[in-house]
């Protein structure tokens, strides 16, 4: 798994890793699934996609309702296909919710309680996550066994479910149908890409300007001409909603460019906040390509040794 904020440099690195380790890319992106939306979603070029196999790109139309549940189903199928070719699935993107759905499952019917959640958060601050993990071991040993002692989010969520419903989270898992039951990935290595904020924001500024230069306006006009309504979920995403406002005369081109870059920076901040909750990530600076390659090579070598045993 290779994740990080928008524009940090995931594409180049993931392509290099795939070439080195016989990998195929599974896109973890909520927008690259849509056809006809290429520039605003910063998809890999056709040349890059011909050099390395990509999955979950251009699989639905912009008016199709795509969500984390569908992603989970499609990603599992892609991973199985890649394994069938004895290749390495490289999941890369910035959709944290999609990744969490794949690893932890989706449970819309599981109860929640804001007051309990607040109380657990306060306990974590006062006692630390290990104390709550011990409680979880008592109430839900199955969940405690699969959740790391430092993973405050999942510990609190599992305890919240038990305290609000009287039923362990692991039992809720068992009651879900197959589509919503999480797959336990025992053989996974996760990398979070980071970058100094000034450098990342500079990359965002350049990407935003490049999108405009490469024809984002025409891409959005083509979508509107095809009959895709501006109120669609896909058309409300960053870049597309901005260009619609320009096309309809609400904003000047200068204002559109400024707000596109600003909102993309804000989105990158939210992505950092989300991924910082994932304690399984090994954070590396995006410029440290050699260090990341060594980490992946070492992990793969260890897995091969474990397989021989």
């Amino acid at each position: 798994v290779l994740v990080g904020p928008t524009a940090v440099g995931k594409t180049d690195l993931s392509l290099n890793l795939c070439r080195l380790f016989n990998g195929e890319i599974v896109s973890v992106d909520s927008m690259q699934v849509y056809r006809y939306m290429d520039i605003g979603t910063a998809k890999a070029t056709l040349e890059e996609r011909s050099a390395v196999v990509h999955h979950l790109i251009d699989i639905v139309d912009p008016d199709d309702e795509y969500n984390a549940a569908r992603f989970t189903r499609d990603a599992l199928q892609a991973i199985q296909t890649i394994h069938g070719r004895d290749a390495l699935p490289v999941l890369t993107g910035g959709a944290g919710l999609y990744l969490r759905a794949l690893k932890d499952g989706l449970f819309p019917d599981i109860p929640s309680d804001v007051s309990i959640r607040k109380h657990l958060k306060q306990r974590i601050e006062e006692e630390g996550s290990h104390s709550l993990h011990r409680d979880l071991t008592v109430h839900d040993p199955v969940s405690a066994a699969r959740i790391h002692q430092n993973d405050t989010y999942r510990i609190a969520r599992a305890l919240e479910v038990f305290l609000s419903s009287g039923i362990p989270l692991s039992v809720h898992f068992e009651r879900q149908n197959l589509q919503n039951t999480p797959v336990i990935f025992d053989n996974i290595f996760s990398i979070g890409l980071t970058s100094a904020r000034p450098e990342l924001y500079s990359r965002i500024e350049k990407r935003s300007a490049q999108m405009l230069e490469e024809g984002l306006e025409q891409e959005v006009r083509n979508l509107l001409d095809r009959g895709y309504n501006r109120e669609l979920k896909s058309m409300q995403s960053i870049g597309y909603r901005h260009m619609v406002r320009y096309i309809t005369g609400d904003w000047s081109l200068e204002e559109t460019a400024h707000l596109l870059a600003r909102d993309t920076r804000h989105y990158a901040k939210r992505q950092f906040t989300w991924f910082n909750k994932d304690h399984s990530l090994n954070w590396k600076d995006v410029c440290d390509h050699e260090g990341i390659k060594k980490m992946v090579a070492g992990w793969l070598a260890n897995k091969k040794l474990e397989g021989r045993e």
Side-chain angles (χ1 to χ4, degrees):
V1 173
L2 187 70
V3 296
T6 185
V8 75
K10 297 182 293 291
T11 299
D12 288 345
L13 182 56
S14 62
L15 290 169
N16 287 336
L17 292 176
C18 284
R19 294 187 185 102
L20 278 173
F21 302 111
N22 185 33
E24 297 182 18
I25 289 174
V26 180
S27 173
V28 186
D29 191 288
S30 61
M31 286 299 298
Q32 293 189 1
V33 295
Y34 294 113
R35 302 182 185 99
Y36 320 123
M37 307 181 85
D38 302 329
I39 297 172
T41 62
K43 289 175 185 170
T45 65
L46 292 177
E47 182 180 1
E48 290 168 335
R49 282 184 262 169
S50 65
V52 172
V53 178
H54 284 63
H55 301 261
L56 307 196
I57 291 180
D58 291 344
I59 59 174
V60 296
D61 289 335
D63 57 355
D64 201 348
E65 185 67 28
Y66 199 82
N67 53 36
R70 290 184 65 179
F71 167 80
T72 299
R73 181 199 65 196
D74 293 342
L76 288 173
Q77 184 176 356
I79 290 169
Q80 185 176 28
T81 298
I82 297 168
H83 280 155
R85 291 197 276 261
D86 198 26
L88 175 68
V90 178
L91 280 70
T92 183
L97 174 61
Y98 281 17
L99 184 62
R100 177 181 291 175
L102 178 63
K103 295 199 297 182
D104 298 342
L106 287 170
F107 307 98
D109 298 327
I110 288 183
S112 61
D113 188 302
V114 175
S115 61
I116 292 176
R117 190 181 315 152
K118 184 177 180 181
H119 172 68
L120 291 171
K121 183 178 179 182
Q122 183 177 350
R123 280 193 59 197
I124 287 174
E125 293 175 352
E126 295 174 353
E127 305 171 29
S129 61
H130 287 214
S131 176
L132 273 72
H133 193 272
R134 285 193 294 270
D135 288 356
L136 185 61
T137 302
V138 173
H139 299 305
D140 187 355
V142 175
S143 293
R146 65 180 294 266
I147 299 175
H148 193 275
Q149 297 181 57
N150 295 331
D151 194 338
T152 56
Y153 173 84
R154 289 175 184 155
I155 293 171
R157 178 58 179 144
L159 281 174
E160 178 189 349
V161 169
F162 174 77
L163 294 174
S164 60
S165 69
I167 300 172
L169 178 62
S170 57
V171 175
H172 282 285
F173 273 125
E174 293 172 4
R175 293 179 178 178
Q176 300 297 321
N177 60 38
L178 182 60
Q179 178 179 337
N180 286 338
T181 299
V183 176
I184 305 302
F185 292 102
D186 294 323
N187 193 359
I188 185 171
F189 186 67
S190 302
I191 299 172
L193 294 181
T194 187
S195 173
R197 291 299 172 95
E199 183 178 337
L200 177 62
Y201 292 164
S202 176
R203 291 174 65 93
I204 288 173
E205 292 282 348
K206 290 176 182 177
R207 173 179 285 186
S208 299
Q210 186 177 0
M211 286 179 177
L212 298 177
E213 293 170 3
E214 291 181 351
L216 180 60
E217 177 185 350
Q218 190 58 52
E219 181 168 275
V220 175
R221 288 186 182 276
N222 290 342
L223 288 163
L224 295 172
D225 290 343
R226 286 177 180 269
Y228 295 116
N229 191 286
R230 62 182 291 180
E231 301 302 325
L232 288 171
K233 177 182 174 182
S234 59
M235 294 289 283
Q236 286 293 308
S237 61
I238 291 178
Y240 293 93
R241 69 171 184 266
H242 295 77
M243 188 50 66
V244 166
R245 297 292 295 272
Y246 169 70
I247 290 172
T248 55
D250 295 334
W251 295 343
S252 68
L253 184 60
E254 182 180 3
E255 190 174 12
T256 301
H258 167 72
L259 293 173
L260 171 58
R262 183 203 67 183
D263 291 346
T264 305
R265 290 195 301 272
H266 291 172
Y267 177 53
K269 289 180 182 178
R270 294 195 299 273
Q271 287 176 301
F272 267 128
T273 299
W274 181 285
F275 287 126
N276 278 330
K277 297 176 183 176
D278 187 343
H279 296 283
S280 70
L281 292 177
N282 297 277
W283 285 99
K284 295 290 288 183
D285 190 284
V286 69
C287 295
D288 188 12
H289 279 214
E290 290 305 313
I292 293 170
K293 291 173 187 176
K294 289 179 181 178
M295 289 175 68
V296 175
W299 170 70
L300 288 171
N302 288 336
K303 289 302 172 184
K304 287 181 180 179
L305 287 173
E306 292 174 7
R308 292 194 193 102
E309 294 172 358

